[in-house]
Amino acid sequence: MTTVGAATVDRLFPADLTLGTGSCSPGQSLYAMKAKGTGMVQLVTVDCDVASPDDLEPDLHARQEAQRLHGRGAEPGGVVQLRLRHVTGENRAPVVADFSSRGPNPVVPELLKPDVVAPGVNILAAWSGDASLSGQEEFDDGRRVEFNIISGTSMATPHVAGVAALIRKKQPSWTPAMIRSAIMTTAGTLDTTGRDILDNGATPPTSGRRDGGDRVATPLAAETGHVRPEDLALDPGLVYDAGERDYVDFLCTLNYTAEQVRMFMPGFGICTLTLPGGPARLTSPSFMVVFVTGTDVWTLMRTVTAVSEKAETYTVSYVAPERVSR
């Protein structure tokens, strides 16, 4: 199982909304109709929500929603002017979306989650003609489209599923754990400006250092980084593999009963082995240590498998987290 967080892409649809008595910005819009050279036009309804550009998403609203928004931004009867643009190459990306779920893993904190982040904000893709524009029956106003733009981790996950399919095609003998490892160990930790990936949803108690007014994404937000589906993921050099027995031992370590394990593995007998050192010993590309009272030293081991076609030499380096020493 690969857990995917959502991040922005280097594409915005800025919309400068100017009222007759002032301005309301920034904003985004996918409104496609031309204004036919009109300047200020009569205001019917406007909804203003001021935030940073990376936080804004051009949500799809049905006509019923527009009626409920009536009067929130300005009094009806005013005038409004909308200036639309399409901008690429001017914004830092990826940035972890504020709505993306973050770690730690509430069930097994020793498993660092999410595994990677992928594009999940303002994703334009094919849309079923049988579904309403908003995707919600209560807001169905009869409009149907062939393409739509949606934000969510449900948009980020298909990107990673596609990368996994590419790896599977090239390496049909690899286990799911090897494929996930290749995706994680080749993920990128820098954005389009060559700086650390930022986190739009970071709060002072859990975030990293400040960077350009925002906060650097920690592993609990972006984990190993942003998925990179180019040649790196297809040729990771080393992978962290785990087989069926490893996961059974992992479940036994979590005190699953034999009956519960049989839900995953029919015919299973009894738990005869647990992972020494606890669930953190499961072979995974990441490390997550939970220190309990009275314990300040923890030893974890990992086994890597060479998958490169040619001989390679690796040099190990590390950066110790704050308050952690070798």
Side-chain angles (χ1 to χ4, degrees):
M1 181 181 293
T2 302
T3 308
V4 186
T8 63
V9 296
D10 182 20
R11 179 181 63 204
L12 294 177
F13 303 92
D16 299 328
L17 182 66
T18 303
L19 302 179
T21 56
S23 63
C24 177
S25 62
Q28 291 200 58
S29 177
L30 295 174
Y31 187 74
M33 294 183 66
K34 300 295 182 181
K36 298 180 180 179
T38 305
M40 287 290 188
V41 297
Q42 195 70 19
L43 172 65
V44 178
T45 298
V46 60
D47 178 43
C48 300
D49 185 12
V50 178
S52 70
D54 289 333
D55 287 329
L56 294 175
E57 302 153 32
D59 292 329
L60 294 158
H61 296 285
R63 293 188 181 95
Q64 297 94 320
E65 292 179 284
Q67 292 171 358
R68 286 199 297 272
L69 296 175
H70 181 72
R72 284 184 55 185
E75 292 298 325
V79 289
V80 62
Q81 185 181 54
L82 188 63
R83 176 172 173 263
L84 307 176
R85 293 174 292 147
H86 178 208
V87 177
T88 59
E90 297 182 9
N91 305 282
R92 293 185 64 173
V95 176
V96 180
D98 57 356
F99 60 76
S100 184
S101 295
R102 291 157 176 77
N105 183 335
V107 179
V108 190
E110 291 86 354
L111 290 186
L112 187 56
K113 294 293 180 179
D115 294 317
V116 291
V117 294
V121 178
N122 298 343
I123 304 303
L124 179 65
W127 185 258
S128 171
D130 293 331
S132 67
L133 185 62
S134 66
Q136 304 178 49
E137 292 185 4
E138 61 269 31
F139 297 138
D140 188 357
D141 57 11
R143 289 179 290 174
R144 294 294 183 266
V145 292
E146 294 182 352
F147 291 86
N148 208 343
I149 191 164
I150 300 293
S151 296
T153 50
S154 55
M155 298 295 100
T157 299
H159 284 84
V160 174
V163 175
L166 292 175
I167 297 175
R168 182 73 170 183
K169 177 66 175 179
K170 182 180 179 180
Q171 305 290 353
S173 63
W174 283 13
T175 66
M178 294 169 72
I179 294 175
R180 183 182 68 147
S181 173
I183 293 173
M184 292 177 64
T185 59
T186 59
T189 59
L190 304 179
D191 63 18
T192 52
T193 68
R195 292 177 286 178
D196 291 328
I197 294 175
L198 299 181
D199 182 2
N200 264 342
T203 54
T206 60
S207 59
R209 65 182 185 278
R210 288 188 176 276
D211 187 349
D214 292 298
R215 297 183 181 276
V216 173
T218 70
L220 292 178
E223 229 286 39
T224 56
H226 191 270
V227 63
R228 295 194 289 183
E230 57 264 30
D231 293 341
L232 283 177
L234 296 174
D235 185 19
L238 298 174
V239 293
Y240 297 80
D241 191 15
E244 183 180 89
R245 188 70 223 183
D246 296 294
Y247 288 106
V248 169
D249 295 342
F250 172 74
L251 294 176
C252 290
T253 303
L254 295 178
N255 295 320
Y256 275 58
T257 65
E259 182 180 1
Q260 290 172 320
V261 174
R262 278 193 286 272
M263 296 175 64
F264 304 93
M265 187 179 178
F268 174 77
I270 60 174
C271 286
T272 58
L273 180 67
T274 59
L275 297 177
R281 283 294 301 272
L282 178 67
T283 299
S284 170
S286 61
F287 291 79
M288 187 75 170
V289 176
V290 179
F291 289 99
V292 296
T293 303
T295 302
D296 57 5
V297 177
W298 204 267
T299 301
L300 294 177
M301 296 180 62
R302 290 290 189 269
T303 299
V304 294
T305 302
V307 293
S308 58
E309 296 180 356
K310 300 179 181 179
E312 296 180 335
T313 301
Y314 294 86
T315 301
V316 178
S317 63
Y318 74 97
V319 177
E322 184 179 356
R323 295 187 298 173
V324 175
S325 60
R326 185 173 181 177

